[in-house]
Amino acid sequence: MIFKGSLFNKGLLVSDLKRFWWVSALYGLLLFLILPFSHMMQELPAEEWARDILKRSLDIFGGSAGIQALLICVVPVVLGVLVFGYLHSGRAAAWMHSLPCTRLTLFLSHSAAGLALLFLPVIINGLVLALLNITTPLQEYYSLADIFRWMGMTALFDALVFALTVLVGMFTGNTAAHLVLTYILQVLPNGLHVLMVENLSRWLHGYTPLSYPGELPYNFPLMMFASGTGREDFTAWVAAAYLLATVITFGLAYFIYRLRQVEAAGDVVAFPILRPVFKYGVTACCMLLAGAYFAAEYRSGPAVILWGYFLGSFVGYFVAEALLQKSLKVWSAYRGYLVYGVVVAVLVAGLASDVTGYVRRVPDPEEVRKVYFGSSLGQWIHVEKLKDVDPGDPRYGDQMFFEDRNNIAHIVRLHHELAADRSNKTGVTRYIIYTLADGTHLARRYEVDEREYASFLKPIYESLEYKEARFPVLNQDPEDIKMVVIDDHRVPKGPVVLSDREEIREFTARLKQDILGATFEEMTAGVRHHVIMDVVEEDGIAASYALVDGYRSVMTWLKQKGYYEGIILLPEEVEYVVLETPAPPGKAGEGTAPRRVEIRNRRLIEELLNIEASSEFVRGTRQILVTFYGKTAGGPFQYESFIDPTGPVSEELKIYIKQLE
């Protein structure tokens, strides 16, 4: 029987519903266990944390909805492959297309059956949730609007994933390929972005993109759930955009379906014109993946990356060829691989020789309106490009934007040096992103050794503009500060909390004085800081600052107020120190006890308190573990640190160190 102007075929609809009802039933059962049944099992009234969990369970983007997100990414794909499974078999495809139905009727009937099987479990569970909400105290934890929102969002993403599965199915006649390619399509944009960035950064010194996958306003469902998209990001306009995308995807799938030949059933790629695209696409992706893996795993030079390119492209090319030919006898297709290899060799040679001048390109200071010199690309993107955060947003603190002409000139000078030095160095990651006079941007990323480039960094770090960006307290009104918490995590003395308004004024004045007088050497000492000062604003936002040795004004103030002894670990509170050489990683417990030596000399204890291996200390070299044991009014304590035996130590301490050899 045919109805609705021959757009749908009742027989096909009923047939699909009878054959695949079990998928819908299983989906509905799982949703029932996750939501209505789980809610009924809750003990009411619930604690505050349980209230939050109940409400967030209806948010498919919430952290507690992981299983729901998994079902959305799996069930529509399974149904799409099953409902259009006749495209994978030559006999089934020939029979289906011999029916007295147009392709439009076939397409709409199967699509409608699939959507019905997806929507029915959502609707039923939504109605059960609504009934519970009306008849039980659950109405205190979430509203009917929350339930209808959950139903709409779940149905929308079920439909979108189903539409994507149907679209992919039109390009392949193989069941396994249909499944795999559906998921590959969803990760392909982000995956290619990551692979291109990883590989280009190996050949172009300083390369960095001005975007990252997480900033995409619209993405495939799988990547949205994986990247932690928030409910607040999904507005009515975004929902409308995804609904439109679903309709367009179905329309495109039907257009491709009209062009598809029945004989394509069983082929990995249904259209001959797309087979080279598939073959060389797989080859390129495998090559980039292998190159990125070898570069990251072995951290070696171009030779290792090239070996990865060869291995990945070789495997990818001939596996793709075998899938297309449905045979392992594919060695005769080597000519295509040789052509591909020549093209890649030319591209790599061009990148390595910097034929475009990308590496050497440094703007003139007069062309620069402002420059970002910081460690977070995301910070620049949100603050400068997207402009979607407030200037004081704590997630994007230390906003290192420079407009002072002297600082811009110093950063350009540093950029010249960094661009000229292409050796693989270790150090802190720094992004240099210029906003030019014409509004365009030029970005680079380098690993900067602060010691080697000290002469270039010193005037930048000691400038007022840099310090105001790094230490927000310099521009902070003491009247806006609720309290200051100072604590030494090495000992159980407990923190000192400054809440008196006059003390806060005095303390912040001293802190500002010390920060303004801090030198480049003090700011880049690279040692662990044990005493932390948290400056808490009235709204609860806190900024943390380390109490470094150079902050003499703050130290003096703490001593004058009598706070110093109640916070800081004092040498006389340490009873003894143990030096030992730890067992090598992976060899602990093999019967070789580490060598130990105990020190009770007060002068040496004080020396050990004042020296510590820097954060740049290479852990692969010989290291000495230092364990301090002592007792304070708050109780006994023990804390560990490392020292570099090759560093500057007294002759007396060297005697103890030699006992560990």
Side-chain angles (χ1 to χ4, degrees):
M1 179 179 176
I2 300 173
F3 61 98
K4 287 192 179 179
S6 300
L7 291 181
F8 297 91
N9 183 285
K10 182 178 178 180
L12 291 176
L13 277 168
V14 173
S15 174
D16 284 341
L17 294 176
K18 285 182 177 179
R19 292 170 63 202
F20 307 121
W21 67 267
W22 57 272
V23 178
S24 183
L26 182 59
Y27 184 31
L29 177 62
L30 291 173
L31 285 179
F32 177 77
L33 293 175
I34 294 169
L35 292 173
F37 184 75
S38 175
H39 291 187
M40 287 188 289
M41 292 297 101
Q42 285 288 341
E43 221 177 282
L44 302 178
E47 298 288 341
E48 189 62 35
W49 60 269
R51 288 169 175 264
D52 188 49
I53 289 177
L54 278 171
K55 186 161 187 176
R56 285 194 294 121
S57 66
L58 295 177
D59 177 12
I60 63 173
F61 297 113
S64 59
I67 299 179
Q68 292 185 60
L70 180 64
L71 291 175
I72 291 173
C73 292
V74 171
V75 176
V77 175
V78 172
L79 265 176
V81 172
L82 291 175
V83 169
F84 285 89
Y86 65 90
L87 296 175
H88 307 147
S89 167
R91 182 176 298 179
W95 178 83
M96 186 67 68
H97 290 97
S98 67
L99 295 175
C101 301
T102 64
R103 289 210 174 189
L104 178 60
T105 299
L106 290 175
F107 181 84
L108 290 178
S109 299
H110 290 303
S111 297
L115 291 175
L117 290 169
L118 286 172
F119 292 165
L120 195 59
V122 177
I123 294 171
I124 292 175
N125 278 280
L127 293 176
V128 174
L129 285 170
L131 182 63
L132 290 174
N133 184 265
I134 295 171
T135 59
T136 70
L138 285 170
Q139 59 187 302
E140 299 178 13
Y141 305 99
Y142 53 81
S143 64
L144 288 174
D146 293 322
I147 297 172
F148 291 133
R149 178 185 173 87
W150 171 81
M151 292 172 63
M153 297 293 290
T154 304
L156 173 61
F157 280 102
D158 277 343
L160 178 56
V161 175
F162 181 76
L164 289 170
T165 306
V166 174
L167 175 62
V168 171
M170 299 305 142
F171 289 95
T172 181
N174 181 278
T175 303
H178 193 173
L179 282 168
V180 173
L181 291 176
T182 298
Y183 289 108
I184 288 179
L185 172 66
Q186 297 195 56
V187 302
L188 190 62
N190 289 21
L192 278 179
H193 181 279
V194 172
L195 288 177
M196 290 299 295
V197 169
E198 285 296 316
N199 283 273
L200 286 174
S201 64
R202 306 294 175 178
W203 298 107
L204 291 175
H205 180 55
Y207 173 79
T208 185
L210 280 178
S211 62
Y212 60 90
E215 72 162 302
L216 295 175
Y218 304 102
N219 213 328
F220 289 107
L222 180 62
M223 296 309 301
M224 289 184 68
F225 294 128
S227 62
T229 300
R231 174 177 175 174
E232 63 280 358
D233 299 325
F234 210 86
T235 63
W237 286 108
V238 175
Y242 275 93
L243 181 60
L244 179 61
T246 302
V247 174
I248 292 174
T249 303
F250 274 119
L252 182 59
Y254 170 66
F255 177 75
I256 302 299
Y257 184 43
R258 289 183 57 192
L259 302 177
R260 179 188 171 110
Q261 297 296 319
V262 177
E263 295 78 9
D267 293 339
V268 172
V269 179
F271 296 91
I273 194 173
L274 294 179
R275 288 172 186 173
V277 176
F278 172 80
K279 178 167 63 177
Y280 290 108
V282 170
T283 304
C285 288
C286 289
M287 181 192 76
L288 293 173
L289 180 62
Y293 171 79
F294 275 76
E297 183 69 19
Y298 299 105
R299 298 185 179 277
S300 191
V304 173
I305 300 175
L306 290 173
W307 167 247
Y309 285 171
F310 167 72
L311 188 62
S313 61
F314 184 85
V315 172
Y317 180 86
F318 286 102
V319 166
E321 191 68 44
L323 290 173
L324 291 173
Q325 295 189 22
K326 305 177 189 177
S327 171
L328 295 177
K329 298 178 180 179
V330 294
W331 302 113
S332 59
Y334 71 91
R335 293 181 183 84
Y337 180 72
L338 293 179
V339 172
Y340 174 84
V342 170
V343 173
V344 170
V346 171
L347 290 175
V348 170
L351 291 172
S353 59
D354 190 29
V355 293
T356 63
Y358 178 93
V359 176
R360 303 184 301 274
R361 191 173 301 128
V362 180
D364 187 277
E366 298 303 320
E367 301 175 357
V368 180
R369 194 165 67 209
K370 65 178 173 180
V371 57
Y372 173 80
F373 183 63
S375 58
S376 172
L377 177 62
Q379 182 186 83
W380 181 88
I381 287 174
H382 286 284
V383 174
E384 181 67 15
K385 182 180 178 182
L386 300 179
K387 302 184 187 300
D388 59 355
V389 298
D390 296 326
D393 193 320
R395 295 175 300 168
Y396 302 100
D398 300 350
Q399 296 177 12
M400 299 296 181
F401 291 89
F402 297 88
E403 297 185 38
D404 181 83
R405 303 315 303 177
N406 289 330
N407 278 331
I408 291 175
H410 290 312
I411 293 172
V412 170
R413 282 179 57 228
L414 173 65
H415 186 181
H416 277 289
E417 295 297 319
L418 293 170
D421 185 2
R422 302 194 189 186
S423 58
N424 293 323
K425 294 186 180 296
T426 58
V428 293
T429 300
R430 286 288 180 265
Y431 290 90
I432 301 177
I433 308 178
Y434 301 98
T435 300
L436 303 179
D438 60 1
T440 60
H441 303 288
L442 188 150
R444 298 292 183 268
R445 176 184 181 274
Y446 300 103
E447 300 297 319
V448 182
D449 186 330
E450 292 182 320
R451 293 182 181 178
E452 181 175 344
Y453 294 100
S455 60
F456 298 95
L457 293 170
K458 185 178 177 67
I460 302 171
Y461 281 32
E462 293 183 355
S463 69
L464 178 61
E465 193 175 28
Y466 175 87
K467 290 182 177 180
E468 287 180 338
R470 180 170 170 179
F471 306 102
V473 71
L474 290 176
N475 292 319
Q476 205 165 11
D477 187 341
E479 302 304 319
D480 296 332
I481 298 174
K482 181 179 181 181
M483 61 182 171
V484 178
V485 182
I486 310 171
D487 192 20
D488 186 340
H489 69 82
R490 296 172 295 180
V491 288
K493 293 184 176 182
V496 166
V497 179
L498 306 179
S499 56
D500 179 77
R501 186 58 55 190
E502 185 59 34
E503 284 193 333
I504 290 176
R505 291 193 198 98
E506 293 177 6
F507 174 82
T508 53
R510 299 294 186 103
L511 180 58
K512 290 178 182 180
Q513 178 184 336
D514 285 334
I515 291 174
L516 291 173
T519 64
F520 168 79
E521 291 74 19
E522 290 170 342
M523 289 186 284
T524 59
V527 298
R528 288 196 301 169
H529 299 295
H530 305 292
V531 184
I532 303 299
M533 304 172 289
D534 292 319
V535 179
V536 185
E537 299 180 16
E538 291 291 347
D539 57 6
I541 297 175
S544 297
Y545 304 92
L547 180 59
V548 301
D549 293 338
Y551 289 1
R552 296 180 181 84
S553 183
V554 171
M555 295 280 198
T556 301
W557 186 85
L558 290 174
K559 290 176 181 178
Q560 289 173 349
K561 291 290 184 177
Y563 294 138
Y564 186 87
E565 293 77 8
I567 307 172
I568 311 298
L569 171 61
L570 305 175
E572 55 267 25
E573 293 171 333
V574 179
E575 296 177 355
Y576 64 96
V577 178
V578 173
L579 306 183
E580 61 180 302
T581 51
K587 295 186 178 180
E590 293 185 1
T592 303
R595 297 187 178 183
R596 298 163 54 95
V597 60
E598 187 176 302
I599 298 177
R600 292 183 178 269
N601 183 294
R602 307 309 307 174
R603 188 162 51 81
L604 292 181
I605 289 175
E606 188 167 354
E607 180 183 352
L608 287 167
L609 280 172
N610 293 324
I611 63 172
E612 190 170 12
S614 71
S615 57
E616 300 172 359
F617 180 58
V618 182
R619 301 184 70 86
T621 62
R622 179 169 171 255
Q623 56 188 329
I624 294 178
L625 174 65
V626 184
T627 307
F628 296 84
Y629 297 88
K631 189 175 184 180
T632 68
F637 70 87
Q638 169 189 340
Y639 94 91
E640 298 176 346
S641 68
F642 287 93
I643 64 170
D644 180 359
T646 63
V649 296
S650 66
E651 292 298 325
E652 192 173 355
L653 185 56
K654 286 181 180 178
I655 295 174
Y656 284 95
I657 293 175
K658 286 182 179 180
Q659 295 179 31
L660 300 174
E661 297 178 353

